[in-house]
């Protein structure tokens, strides 16, 4: 909406979180609460977005790299929500309509915000409030309506008659849309709340009602999108609800989830149709999984890309890519930017770190392949270790196509194993091995050369 500005209030100290981390930066379903709200704001296609927050919040946005196109401003000193919106207006919120969101409302969705905005844009209300009916009003402000059902004021808990807060109660979610010009004038003349000497945005409701009762609008929301987070227990509720949404979306898109509640899948994860996710899997932010894959049980995948028909069983994949028709596990670890080609088998108790592995490679079991490149169709025997660290620096191991590495080989990097070369069981390879050669022993010595590779026969 080209006539819309979005203001996100992110300055709350969050003392009930009992954390040194600012409340808006606490994570739900793989992203900070603030990131979820920013994403929702962007889906509305606004003219501009202004985040009002502490310096820690602003620094975190810059570090994470998602502050692009957003004006960020610090409220100094913090003097309430009304003052925060006034600061945002001064920072350049220029739309005809102003939508105020809160960084601790990560479940809010565009579909409930659009009708609220339309109350201002199309119905020409001075302001509109997103309300919700709850069984327990808790600490929320209660909506007070006149005899005609018009929104008259918002009564905070400390000022309210407790008898009016028993049972189902209509409460203020905190989300508000404003006509910017009216809002700027009203905020400039807003008096501070006498109890806290702060400027409350909710006091604008009574101001607008006193000018024209027909100028105050509202739209209803539901508790599953208007959950606010003030402590760790509410953070857990929000996380659960977002993950429930994600699981429902995956099921609808053709993914099978076995024991779905046991699967923890972050919101931005992509999984292709006909893939199966077994019990107790954790799939974290930045992960893309192709069609027809089998994940789990008991797999952890972080920030990784899996092509089609990949199988991961009881293993951990981090910051890596795995090609089509490959399999990993059980009990293996692929990490550190590893790039695994197609039709690769990585068996049990193997670790690959910063490795480039071409198609058809087999790493059966009990091996460490770190800072290495493996050509096509290499076989890695059990117990093989690329010894990549000399105590000061890391070094690479290069293994050519069709090489055969015998069990318990130690490859002392930097070292190159040529195409078609072989190492005997227990070999300690300290020097480069020529293409087609076979080396054995400790330290390894060459005993023969492959005729096809070397053009000769016999032992050396």
């Amino acid at each position: 909406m080209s006539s819309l500005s979005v203001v996100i209030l992110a300055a709350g100290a969050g003392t009930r979180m009992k954390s040194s981390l600012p409340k808006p930066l606490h994570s739900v379903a793989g992203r900070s609460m603030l990131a979820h709200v920013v994403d929702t704001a962007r889906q509305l296609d606004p003219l501009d977005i202004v985040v009002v927050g502490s310096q820690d919040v602003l620094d975190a946005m810059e570090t994470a790299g998602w502050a692009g196109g957003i004006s960020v401003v610090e409220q100094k000193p913090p003097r309430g929500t009304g003052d925060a919106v006034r600061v945002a207006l001064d920072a350049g919120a220029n739309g005809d309509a102003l939508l105020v969101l809160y960084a601790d409302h990560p479940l809010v969705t565009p579909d409930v915000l659009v009708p609220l905005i339309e109350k201002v844009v199309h119905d020409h209300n001075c302001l509109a409030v997103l309300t919700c009916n709850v069984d327990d009003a808790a600490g929320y402000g209660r909506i007070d309506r006149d005899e005609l059902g018009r929104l008259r004021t918002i009564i905070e808990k400390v000022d309210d008659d407790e008898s009016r807060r028993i049972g189902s109660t209509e409460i203020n979610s905190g989300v508000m849309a404003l006509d910017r010009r009216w809002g700027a004038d009203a905020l400039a003349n807003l008096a501070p709340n006498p109890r806290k000497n702060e400027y409350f945005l909710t006091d604008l409701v009574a101001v607008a009602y006193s000018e024209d009762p027909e100028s105050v609008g509202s739209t209803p929301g539901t508790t599953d999108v208007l959950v606010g987070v003030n402590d760790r227990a509410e953070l857990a509720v929000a996380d659960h609800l977002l993950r429930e949404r994600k699981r429902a979306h995956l099921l609808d898109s053709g993914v099978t989830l076995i024991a779905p509640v046991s699967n923890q899948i972050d919101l931005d994860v992509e999984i292709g149709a006909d893939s199966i996710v077994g019990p107790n899997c954790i799939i974290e932010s930045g992960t893309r999984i192709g069609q027809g894959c089998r994940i789990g049980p008991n797999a952890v995948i972080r920030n990784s890309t899996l092509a089609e028909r990949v199988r991961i069983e009881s293993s951990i994949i981090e910051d890596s890519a795995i090609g089509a028709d490959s399999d990993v596990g059980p009990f293996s670890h692929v990490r550190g930017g590893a790039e695994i080609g197609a039709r690769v088998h990585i068996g049990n108790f193997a670790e690959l770190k910063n490795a480039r592995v071409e198609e058809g490679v087999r790493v059966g079991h009990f091996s460490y392949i770190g800072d290495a490149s493996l050509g096509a169709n290499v076989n890695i025997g059990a117990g093989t270790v690329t010894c990549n660290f000399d105590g000061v620096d890391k070094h690479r191991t290069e293994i050519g196509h069709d090489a055969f590495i015998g069990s318990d080989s130690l490859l002392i990097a930097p070292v190159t194993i040529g195409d078609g070369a072989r190492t005997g069981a227990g070999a300690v390879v300290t020097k480069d091995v020529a293409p087609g050669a076979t080396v054995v022993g400790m330290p390894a010595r060459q005993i023969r050369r492959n005729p096809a590779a070397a053009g000769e026969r016999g032992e050396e």
Side-chain angles (χ1 to χ4, degrees), residues 250-320:
L250 290 172
L251 292 167
D252 287 343
S253 63
V255 176
T256 295
L257 303 179
I258 300 173
V261 176
S262 73
N263 295 310
Q264 299 301 304
I265 304 173
D266 285 351
L267 214 59
D268 71 343
V269 168
E270 296 178 8
I271 304 178
D274 294 319
S275 288
I276 300 172
V277 180
N280 303 314
C281 290
I282 299 173
I283 307 177
E284 296 187 355
S285 184
T287 296
R288 307 289 179 267
I289 296 174
Q291 296 183 356
C293 293
R294 178 69 186 248
I295 310 301
N298 306 312
V300 177
I301 304 176
R302 299 186 178 107
N303 189 38
S304 295
T305 300
L306 280 57
E308 292 74 23
R309 299 174 301 282
V310 172
R311 180 179 181 119
I312 309 295
E313 183 175 355
S314 302
S315 295
I316 300 174
I317 313 297
E318 299 179 284
D319 305 311
S320 296

Side-chain angles (χ1 to χ4, degrees), residues 5-323:
S5 290
V6 178
V7 175
I8 301 174
L9 303 187
T15 53
R16 290 167 59 188
M17 300 293 289
K18 296 181 173 62
S19 173
S20 60
L21 184 69
K23 182 171 70 169
L25 302 181
H26 280 263
S27 178
V28 288
R31 303 177 69 195
S32 72
M33 290 193 288
L34 177 56
H36 285 288
V37 179
V38 167
D39 182 62
T40 295
R42 283 180 166 148
Q43 292 179 60
L44 297 169
D45 192 25
L47 178 67
D48 45 52
I49 299 173
V50 179
V51 174
V52 183
S54 67
Q55 189 60 49
D56 287 343
V57 169
L58 308 186
D59 291 344
M61 291 178 63
E62 294 289 347
T63 301
W66 47 269
I70 300 175
S71 299
V72 290
V73 59
E74 187 176 6
Q75 183 190 17
K76 295 189 296 187
R79 297 189 298 171
T81 53
D83 180 67
V85 174
R86 188 160 49 197
V87 167
L89 288 169
D90 293 340
N94 296 313
D96 294 333
L98 195 70
L99 176 66
V100 180
L101 301 176
Y102 289 80
D104 58 2
H105 283 63
L107 283 86
V108 69
T109 53
D111 58 297
V112 300
L113 297 175
V114 170
L116 183 74
I117 298 164
E118 290 177 345
K119 287 286 184 179
V120 172
V121 174
H122 298 300
D123 298 347
H124 305 293
N125 290 144
C126 290
L127 62 79
V129 176
L130 186 59
T131 72
C132 183
N133 282 289
V134 297
D135 293 331
D136 179 6
Y140 289 99
R142 179 175 62 83
I143 296 297
D144 175 50
R145 296 185 180 274
D146 66 16
E147 61 279 359
L148 298 179
R150 298 172 298 192
L151 179 54
R152 177 166 51 194
T153 187
I154 297 172
I155 304 176
E156 300 298 337
K157 182 178 181 180
V158 294
D159 300 319
D160 204 3
D161 179 350
E162 285 296 326
S163 66
R164 304 291 299 274
R165 303 173 68 85
I166 297 173
S168 181
T169 305
E170 187 182 19
I171 56 95
N172 168 41
S173 72
V175 177
M176 181 183 293
L178 298 162
D179 177 88
R180 183 180 63 84
R181 292 180 179 84
W182 179 89
D185 290 341
L187 287 168
N189 295 288
L190 188 66
N193 183 278
R195 288 183 291 102
K196 291 195 173 182
N197 198 32
E198 293 182 351
Y199 298 90
F200 287 1
L201 188 64
T202 51
D203 288 345
L204 292 186
V205 173
V207 172
Y209 183 87
S210 67
E211 295 176 0
D212 178 5
E214 300 295 337
S215 70
V216 185
S218 67
T219 58
T222 57
T223 56
D224 61 335
V225 298
L226 297 179
V227 170
V229 174
N230 294 297
D231 55 32
R232 304 280 184 159
E234 291 174 348
L235 186 74
V237 170
D239 184 83
H240 170 74
L241 291 172
L242 278 173
R243 294 185 189 280
E244 278 290 303
R245 286 184 194 173
K246 181 63 179 181
R247 289 189 286 261
H249 171 74
L250 290 172
L251 292 167
D252 287 343
S253 63
V255 176
T256 295
L257 303 179
I258 300 173
V261 176
S262 73
N263 295 310
Q264 299 301 304
I265 304 173
D266 285 351
L267 214 59
D268 71 343
V269 168
E270 296 178 8
I271 304 178
D274 294 319
S275 288
I276 300 172
V277 180
N280 303 314
C281 290
I282 299 173
I283 307 177
E284 296 187 355
S285 184
T287 296
R288 307 289 179 267
I289 296 174
Q291 296 183 356
C293 293
R294 178 69 186 248
I295 310 301
N298 306 312
V300 177
I301 304 176
R302 299 186 178 107
N303 189 38
S304 295
T305 300
L306 280 57
E308 292 74 23
R309 299 174 301 282
V310 172
R311 180 179 181 119
I312 309 295
E313 183 175 355
S314 302
S315 295
I316 300 174
I317 313 297
E318 299 179 284
D319 305 311
S320 296
I322 299 180

Side-chain angles (χ1 to χ4, degrees), residues 424-444:
V428 179
V429 182
T430 60
K431 297 179 181 179
D432 292 351
V433 179
T438 297
V439 298
V440 299
M442 180 178 65

